[in-house]
Amino acid sequence: MIVYNKMYLKDIVVKKEYFPRARLNEDAIKRYMDLYNLDRIIDPIIVQKEKLILIDGFHRYEAQKRLGREEVEVKLMDIPEAEIFITSMKL
């Protein structure tokens, strides 16, 4: 079950071991920053409900962080922490 919510960016836990890529792509971050500045609708980042761990949206998270956003829209996903990496690979 997925729940939509707003939360403070600072409360989201980012664990690199759950990021399915080797590193962040600067071009992707810049594109997201441009889209956010234009107030375009972008899919919210996905966060694990219990511990607030980032599951999907690492580039969107970083773009909003660089833009100084305090609150962001998220989808809260109710899954166990042991399933985060597998889930992030599927999204």
Side-chain angles (χ1 to χ4, degrees):
M1 180 178 153
I2 297 176
V3 178
Y4 298 88
N5 214 342
K6 278 209 175 237
M7 66 184 310
Y8 289 106
L9 197 65
K10 65 180 177 67
D11 293 336
I12 298 170
V13 178
V14 178
K15 292 189 174 186
K16 293 184 181 192
E17 61 264 29
Y18 295 136
F19 182 56
R21 293 171 185 79
R23 63 184 181 279
L24 291 173
N25 180 311
E26 287 297 320
D27 290 335
I29 294 168
K30 289 175 186 172
R31 279 193 305 272
Y32 280 124
M33 289 174 72
D34 290 342
L35 291 171
Y36 285 122
N37 281 329
L38 294 170
D39 291 325
R40 298 291 171 107
I41 296 173
I42 302 173
D43 288 336
I45 60 178
I46 300 176
V47 175
Q48 191 252 8
K49 185 177 178 180
E50 181 184 353
K51 295 184 180 179
L52 305 179
I53 299 170
L54 183 61
I55 297 172
D56 184 58
F58 286 81
H59 293 95
R60 287 169 278 157
Y61 170 91
E62 185 62 28
Q64 293 181 88
K65 182 177 171 183
R66 291 182 189 184
L67 289 169
R69 303 270 170 99
E70 291 184 18
E71 264 192 337
V72 297
E73 186 173 305
V74 301
K75 291 180 185 177
L76 293 176
M77 194 172 231
D78 192 10
I79 61 169
E81 186 173 352
E83 294 179 17
I84 290 176
F85 184 75
I86 297 297
T87 302
S88 71
M89 294 293 288
K90 293 178 183 178
L91 297 173

